[in-house]
Structures are given as structure tokens and as C-alpha cells.
Amino acid sequence: MTDRPGAEPAGRERQEIRAVPVRHPGRWVAVAVLAVLAAMLVHTVLTNERFGWDVVGNYLFSAPILNGLRNTLVLTVLSMAIGIVGGVGLAVMRQSPNPVVSGAAATYIWLFRGTPLIAQLLFWNFLAALYPRLSLGVPFGPEFISVDTNVLITQFAACLLGLGLNEAAYMAEIVRGGMLSVDRGQAEAAGALGMTRSQTMRRIVLPQAMRVIVPPTGNETISMLKTTSLVVVIGYFELLTSAQRISNQNFQVIPLLIVAAFWYLVLTSLLTIGQGFVERRFGRGFVPDRPGSRLLSRAVNT
Amino acid sequence: MTPMVEATGIHKSFGRTEVLRGIDLVVEPGEVCCIIGPSGSGKSTLLRCVNHLERIDAGRMRVDGSLVGYRESGGKLHELRESEVARQRRDIGMVFQRFNLFPHMTAAENVMEAPRTVLGRSRSAARKEADALLDRVGLAARRDAYPGQLSGGQQQRVAIARALAMQPRLMLFDEPTSALDPELVGEVLDVMRGLAADGMTMLVVTHEMGFAREVGDSLVFMDEGVIVESGVPRDVLSAPRHERTRSFLSKVL
């Protein structure tokens, strides 16, 4: 009798495999250790009165905290907007065949990545010390409008300049990396169809680069959420500053840090979920569309 | 009649390697010209010079009578602006070895993209044309599939439909079946055969000798950056005059 591939030889039973699975005692030990640690953590959080959960509850939705939260949100959103728009512009400049243009972008990136953000915030805040008046006019010629620097560059404006322009330098490299990840054949195919360089960039390269750009941009946004707390150096306030101002008065340092941490975690969670949606949008054609929630299936699979 | 492609004395170097060393080639309207030759012979580069994806170092490349990438006035050559080069390329369709479909768009969107952005067609008009073209390459049913969900042969057929959407006067094929599994080659060649029957002028870099013999009006054998011999496909393939052609053909036939 000869075996034919793909067909069960007649009159013979399928031999099921019923083997004893390999045991993993190490896994059980790890689970036990982690369970004990988790129990200890829950126990201490609940029983240690110095966590001050009542204080946390009192301040969680208090006006100063919510004000700070609002500032954190506004600063994050606007700084990231400046950062992303500036970053795309710088990345496109960096790829320019004109060496002066690409050199200018490279210099910008070098300067803003190479100096501390705190120094940049202070610089914008004290711009008036360097240029008491700012004016609009013909270079080396007549001026049309002239304003007091301190009027134009408020604390808030200095925060945005500092955070946004710094972020643009980092975003530029993220965007550039994304554009480099797109196969050269894509731009060639678009060019062969008669599309101009800018059409190719907008319609073909950037949408594909987004797939690579989004995850690190999510990182940057979450990072920015917390970096905004640096604005305290120029006297502005946001979530962490608000919490610290309160604890400076009532000495409840730990509960107020918990209040701040709570809100940071809420915002981070929202951003993470939002990032998932954006990733799915730009993953079209790359990941097979699965019916139902991807979040759900991911949770089940891991 | 003005030749569709008229290449005279084309030279092209990458760094110190001279890839094209004086190419003269004429392709008449409606002609199917196949280019064969060993890898590294410069045949793909020659094809890419026709639509200015590569810039030539010397010689003149004319498509339908006008210089590619340059304008001649007052006895001087002027480089064309990027937008003018883009305009010239509208009339020259190109099909790549690796398909180069836009992976973030469906088959229909791939075909619609250039008519929409370059020609400013309305969405519905572009959609109608795309459907007709996908039908022509036998893929009407897969119009909403992404390239990643299509087989290589299907992707290449979409790529042909995408190029045809610009209603080109000339089609360039750069080894269109070299990246395909053997059983998928036939479906792409069938589409190309249909195009040739409809009178499309085609310049085809290929390793498919059967296709060259059957569909080609002329055959060019290139080696080391020069055209070694050319003529009617049947003659070149069955009675090559040059030793290099003979030894190449003996390896591939």
C-alpha cells in the first residue's frame, strides 16, 4: 500500500497526538511572587493613612487643580501643533535638494535639540532683555509696526515658543525618519504618472510615512504632557505647579502628588486610546482589517 | 511620421560606471519594441531615461518629437522645470518590476489617483474610468482590495490599469513579470498582448522570449551599455548575427 499525500490511506485510523504537555514550574513561582507583592501593595495603599485619600478626594476636582489641568492641556495641544507643523516643514526642508535650505533646517535642529529646554523657555521669557522692541518692516529699511516685546511675548506666549519650537526640532527628525521609510519606488511611480514633487509628498509619501510617524509622535505628546511642568521656571502654572502650590500651604505633599498623578494618568490613557485610532486609520492597506474591536482582540491575545 | 521614441547617442553614467554608451533607438507609433539582455546591460536604465526618471549625460531623447527633460531654443538646451517634466510624463505610462502600487489605497483608488490629482477629474468621472480600466485588466471584482490583499499578478494588472488611466501615448514596461511566480506570468502577458493589439506603442524590457517573439514588432539585444543587435524578433532569436547574442540566447532559451 502506498501513501498518497493529502489523502488518508483507506482503512487506517487517524493517530491523534495525546501528549503530556511540558510543565512550567517557573511560571507558577513567578505568579506567586507577583501575587504576594500585589497584595502587599494593595494592603499598604489601603491601610497607610499617610496616603491621605480623603485629602486626595477633596482636591481632585478643586478649582486650582482643574485650572492647572486646563493649562496643561492647552499647552500640550498648542505646543504639539506648533511642533508637528514645524516638524513637517523642517523635515521637508531637510530633504530639499537646495543645500542652503537643508542646511538651514539642519542648523535649526542642531540648535534646538542641543540646548536645554529650560534655557530656551527662559530665553523666550527674557527676550525683551535682548530686543526691547519688536517691529515689522523692510529688512534694514523702514518699519511699519513696532511693539514692546513684553507686551507681545506674554508668559503664555513664551511657554508656547519654548515648548513648540523645541518640539519642532524633535518632530522634524521623526517625520524625516517616516519619509525615509517609504520605498523610493513609490515616489518614482507617482512621478511617472505625472505628479509633481509636492503632490507626491502630500498624497503618496506622507500618508505612508504617517504609519511610522504616529507611534513616536504619540510618545512625544505623552512626554509633552509632563514636560509642560517646566513652565514653572518662568512663573507660569499648570497641573503640577497647581498641586505644589496647594501642598506648599497645607503640607500634604503626597496626597497632592497623587492628585496630579491621577490626572496625568487619565490624560495619558486618553491619548493612548486616541493613538490607537490614528494608527488604525493610517494602517489601511498594511494591517488586515479584522472585524470587531482591535483593542478587544489585542487584550484577549496578550 | 514622427517616431514615438527617438534616442540618439544616449550616454549615462552612475559615478564612474558608464551604464549606457551611445544608444540609438527608434520606436514608431504603434510599435511594440522588446529589449532583452543580461542583467547590468543597461536596459532598465535606458527605459528610465525615456521618461526622465534618470537624467542622461549625453545625446538626445525625444518622445513624440519633443525633447525629454529639456527645451532647445536659440541653439541652447534649457532644463525643464519640475512641473514641465511632470507634464511630459503624463503621456508616458510606466509599469515597474516591483509594481510600486500605492499600498495605502485600494485598487480603484490607485487607478483614480493620478486622474484626480494631476488632471483634476471629478471623483465620479475618475471612478467610472477606473472601473472600466479594472474591468479591462480583469479585476473589476477586486476594485476595493488593497494591494497587500492581491496576488503579484493582480497587483501588476492594477499597475497597468493605473498607468493607462492617464491615457498615455507610450507605455514603458520594466521587466513587468520578473517578480512574479511562474504561474502568474501569463495573466500579465495576456493584458499586455491585448494592449498591443489595441495599437499601443510599447517599450518592453523583458526576459519573456516567447512574448517578444509573438507580440514584439522589433527586438533589441543590449549588452554592456550598447545595442549589440536589433531587428525582427523571429530573426534575432532564431538566427542571431553576433556571438554575444548567441551566447546570451543559448543561456535563456
Side-chain angles (χ1 to χ4, degrees), chain A residues 183-186 188-199 202-204 207-208 282 284-286 288-289, chain B residues 48 51 53 82-83 86-87 89-90 92 94 96 100-105 113-114 117-118 146 148 162-163 166:
Chain A
D183 181 41
R184 245 171 57 96
Q186 291 289 307
E188 281 185 355
L193 285 166
M195 293 169 77
T196 62
R197 233 195 333 258
S198 73
Q199 284 170 337
R202 247 188 8 257
R203 302 279 313 166
I204 307 300
Q208 290 182 61
F282 288 106
R284 280 184 318 173
F286 290 94
D289 276 330
Chain B
R48 295 162 59 84
N51 67 352
L53 278 183
E82 192 227 329
S83 58
R87 175 163 274 281
R89 285 178 177 158
R90 291 180 189 182
I92 309 171
M94 187 162 193
F96 299 86
N100 295 352
L101 286 182
F102 307 133
H104 58 304
M105 299 179 184
E113 180 59 26
T117 50
V118 179
Y146 285 98
R162 177 177 70 175
M166 295 299 284

Side-chain angles (χ1 to χ4, degrees), chain A residues 149-296:
Chain A
T149 302
N150 277 331
V151 172
L152 192 70
I153 309 286
T154 59
Q155 257 175 1
F156 179 69
C159 292
L160 282 188
L161 282 172
L163 294 170
L165 296 184
N166 180 266
E167 186 57 36
Y170 286 93
M171 281 305 302
E173 289 296 273
I174 290 174
V175 173
R176 190 168 70 95
M179 296 193 323
L180 288 178
S181 77
V182 179
D183 181 41
R184 245 171 57 96
Q186 291 289 307
E188 281 185 355
L193 285 166
M195 293 169 77
T196 62
R197 233 195 333 258
S198 73
Q199 284 170 337
T200 302
M201 192 56 82
R202 247 188 8 257
R203 302 279 313 166
I204 307 300
V205 176
L206 277 180
Q208 290 182 61
M210 285 301 282
R211 210 167 55 93
V212 177
I213 292 171
V214 169
T217 305
N219 243 357
E220 289 292 309
T221 312
I222 287 170
S223 167
M224 178 63 82
L225 209 53
K226 290 153 296 177
T227 306
T228 52
S229 57
L230 286 184
V231 299
V232 69
V233 298
I234 57 174
Y236 202 63
F237 76 100
E238 43 64 76
L239 181 55
L240 189 63
T241 322
S242 299
Q244 280 180 319
R245 279 184 192 169
I246 297 170
S247 63
N248 283 346
Q249 285 163 11
N250 66 7
F251 306 113
Q252 300 280 1
V253 177
I254 296 292
L256 280 149
L257 284 180
I258 292 176
V259 168
F262 171 82
W263 284 116
Y264 279 121
L265 287 173
V266 167
L267 293 180
T268 302
S269 309
L270 291 176
L271 282 173
T272 307
I273 294 170
Q275 184 184 334
F277 281 110
V278 177
E279 275 181 31
R280 195 139 57 125
R281 167 73 175 70
F282 288 106
R284 280 184 318 173
F286 290 94
V287 283
D289 276 330
R290 271 180 288 179
S293 164
R294 223 159 61 91
L295 282 175
L296 185 71

Side-chain angles (χ1 to χ4, degrees), chain A residues 50-75:
Chain A
R50 279 166 290 196
F51 271 103
W53 291 108
D54 51 332
V55 184
V56 172
N58 285 342
Y59 283 103
L60 202 50
F61 295 99
S62 67
I65 291 293
L66 292 183
N67 266 340
L69 179 64
R70 194 199 57 216
N71 277 1
T72 293
L73 259 179
V74 169
L75 283 175

